[in-house]
Amino acid sequence: MREEKAHIEAVIRQKKVHEHNQRRRPTPIGNNHLTATERESILCLRVQGYGIRKIAGALNRSPALPGPVL
């Protein structure tokens, strides 16, 4: 369980570094929308077979809505 979460977090960090290197920064649009980085991370993790709940936990988002977990 810890290894999976660490792997998810590593993938997210890698995507953020890539985005920074490309000088594309997500514009702050509030909590009701996913950033480009989050969308890429979700896509990569879904392809790797991770479930929605694990991905949502790694992104600190609700699995049902794009808003943050309260």
Side-chain angles (χ1 to χ4, degrees), residues 6 11 15 17-18 28 33 35 41-42 45 56 60 64:
V11 169
K15 290 295 177 186
V17 167
H18 174 73
H33 299 280
T35 65
S41 298
I42 291 168
L45 294 169
N60 196 28

Side-chain angles (χ1 to χ4, degrees), residues 10-65:
V11 169
I12 292 170
R13 274 193 307 276
Q14 181 181 11
K15 290 295 177 186
K16 287 182 180 180
V17 167
H18 174 73
E19 182 174 288
H20 177 72
N21 290 340
Q22 296 296 320
R23 299 194 188 277
R24 292 182 344 199
R25 296 180 190 226
T27 56
I29 51 178
N31 291 330
N32 294 328
H33 299 280
L34 296 170
T35 65
T37 302
E38 289 173 322
R39 290 178 189 276
E40 285 185 42
S41 298
I42 291 168
L43 178 63
C44 290
L45 294 169
R46 288 296 287 163
V47 167
Q48 293 177 21
Y50 288 97
I52 293 170
R53 294 189 183 278
K54 288 187 181 185
I55 295 170
L59 296 175
N60 196 28
R61 294 280 189 160
S62 167
L65 302 171

